[in-house]
Amino acid sequence: MFTKIIATGSYVPERLVTNDELAGMMETSDEWIRTRTGIRERHLFEDPSAAVGAEAEGTTVSSACIAGERAIHMAEEKGLQRSEIGLCIVATCTPDAVFPATACAVADRLGLSAPAAFDLSLACTGFLAAFNTAAIYLSSGMYKNALIIGVDVMSKLLDMSDRSTSILFGDGAGALVLTSDTRFREGSDSGVLKALLRTDGSRGGVLSCRSAYLNGPEASAMHMDGRAVFEFAVREVPRLITELLDGQPEPELYILHQANYRILEAVAKRLRQPMDRFPHNIERYANTTAATIPLLLDELMREGRLHDGDTTVMAGFGAGLSLGGVLLRL
Ligand code: COA
């Protein structure tokens, strides 16, 4: 079934926070953060609970809208009208409200006409859950075009007195427009070749954050066993990718969730692939949870690195514990 990413967009808040700035707030150093994670800097809202101006109705909705608008603008330049987008899925674990869903506000603000709109919550694997869900809807013929957004305002959750978690995350949003309309085929047989999602809920305690909305302010601190998450990713992501490929030729690009540069290196090594097939931007944005993959896709699209007919693997992993992947011909 023909399915193609025809447009992308992204957004990060203006405020840049370097490792040195964090070292002024807690017992850490630029050297420790860079060597353990590859992160140099991240973008964070100053105080997401006191958002003003364009963010007044909430930083998650506004971030998603800016990224979404940029993706729709690119789609319009290629000849797809916004009124043709019938499905809007937002992946986030940091919504502005328990309800209504982020996607409902986003679809309204972006002027989509009567779309199906809903959120999916699978933390760092959320974007893959959204992408695979949208691809299934498109292949069923129920919708022709979908706007998929991964957005997380992690600064809502970060405890700046916990150096083991607060240095890892950033705020951001990435969006893409996926189409099954064959008028965009342009010769290449783009489509999803295989998609997978996996969870092991028995290990949910390794990475968790109970909602302060529902359980009181004390409940919002993030709990993470960093080493266990690291080992899970390094062991399971290569397995997932091997299963996705199932004997198919090596893809040109491995677009992985950006959690730690050392995880990318370890996965590349296990798959016996060179690092230049693993594009990365974790050094500039840190881990933006559901936004990492679409943020990276947007950079690759704008740099002209997503070539029609190339194959790519996208893979996410994180809280759940969960894993998601897709093998895609671009
Ligand atoms: N600055 C300085 N020291 C720090 C620190 C920081 N920001 N954070 C933790 N430490 C200290 C700890 O207190 C501990 O000290 P101790 O040995 O005296 O107790 C030590 O560093 C931890 O070292 P280690 O466990 O060897 O670190 P690591 O190499 O495993 O790296 C992570 C830690 C968190 C960077 C790494 O495990 C990781 O990235 N895991 C994956 C996390 C992740 O991606 N989560 C989201 C998934 S979607």
Side-chain angles (χ1 to χ4, degrees):
M1 171 85 190
F2 173 75
T3 318
K4 187 178 181 66
I5 299 170
I6 60 158
T8 57
S10 63
Y11 168 77
V12 292
E14 238 169 73
R15 181 168 164 260
L16 183 72
V17 180
T18 63
N19 291 344
D20 281 333
E21 274 177 79
L22 291 184
M25 297 178 213
M26 63 188 83
E27 196 62 35
T28 189
S29 66
D30 173 52
E31 205 258 336
W32 193 95
I33 300 171
R34 262 190 303 104
T35 54
R36 302 293 170 118
T37 69
I39 299 165
R40 292 199 313 259
E41 57 198 31
R42 73 286 290 140
H43 293 255
L44 292 171
F45 284 104
E46 177 107 49
D47 180 1
S49 62
V52 291
E55 284 113 30
E57 287 168 59
T59 48
T60 302
V61 168
S62 64
S63 301
C65 282
I66 298 169
E69 184 60 43
R70 288 175 179 164
I72 291 173
H73 181 74
M74 188 188 285
E76 285 174 337
E77 285 182 337
K78 294 182 178 178
L80 183 94
Q81 301 311 309
R82 88 178 54 216
S83 58
E84 297 178 86
I85 298 174
L87 175 65
C88 173
I89 307 180
V90 173
T92 185
C93 63
T94 52
D96 295 323
V98 177
F99 51 80
T102 311
C104 300
V106 170
D108 173 58
R109 285 220 217 156
L110 294 180
L112 305 187
S113 34
F118 57 89
D119 291 359
L120 277 177
S121 171
L122 198 58
C124 293
T125 315
F127 178 75
L128 259 305
F131 185 93
N132 289 350
T133 302
I136 290 164
Y137 268 114
L138 263 50
S139 68
S140 77
M142 197 179 286
Y143 302 103
K144 258 198 167 143
N145 305 291
L147 176 67
I148 310 160
I149 301 175
V151 54
D152 269 304
V153 178
M154 295 304 289
S155 51
K156 292 179 183 182
L157 302 179
L158 296 183
D159 171 0
M160 286 307 186
S161 67
D162 179 3
R163 65 179 184 172
S164 64
T165 53
S166 58
I167 55 120
L168 293 172
F169 295 96
D171 296 338
L176 58 87
V177 177
L178 196 63
T179 188
S180 59
D181 188 330
T182 49
R183 74 182 202 262
F184 298 101
R185 191 186 282 267
E186 292 162 10
S188 76
D189 203 12
S190 312
V192 170
L193 304 176
K194 193 167 178 179
L196 289 170
L197 281 176
R198 293 268 152 74
T199 55
D200 177 4
S202 71
R203 303 194 63 208
V206 166
L207 180 55
S208 66
C209 185
R210 280 160 56 82
S211 161
Y213 297 133
L214 302 176
N215 302 294
E218 294 308 310
S220 64
M222 190 186 309
H223 167 76
M224 183 181 76
D225 178 342
R227 187 155 291 192
V229 176
F230 192 100
E231 286 168 6
F232 167 77
V234 167
R235 189 180 58 247
E236 297 299 335
V237 173
R239 280 190 191 159
L240 181 90
I241 291 176
T242 304
E243 196 177 333
L244 277 171
L245 292 178
D246 192 23
Q248 301 251 14
E250 302 297 345
E252 277 76 14
L253 288 176
Y254 295 79
I255 302 174
L256 266 50
H257 171 51
Q258 306 282 295
N260 185 321
Y261 186 74
R262 284 163 53 220
I263 293 178
L264 301 181
E265 279 183 323
V267 171
K269 195 170 167 199
R270 289 207 178 187
L271 293 171
R272 296 197 178 84
Q273 291 298 313
M275 270 312 280
D276 59 10
R277 290 198 176 186
F278 288 72
H280 52 89
N281 57 14
I282 180 153
E283 56 281 4
R284 284 175 286 126
Y285 302 124
N287 180 348
T288 54
T289 306
T292 65
I293 291 177
L295 249 169
L296 188 54
L297 272 175
D298 186 41
E299 290 192 347
L300 295 169
M301 177 74 110
R302 286 168 202 274
E303 288 164 10
R305 290 180 63 191
L306 299 180
H307 303 125
D308 283 354
D310 279 3
T311 53
T312 181
V313 158
M314 297 198 282
F317 55 88
L321 292 175
S322 60
L323 286 165
V326 64
L327 177 64
L328 185 71
R329 185 175 297 113
L330 294 169

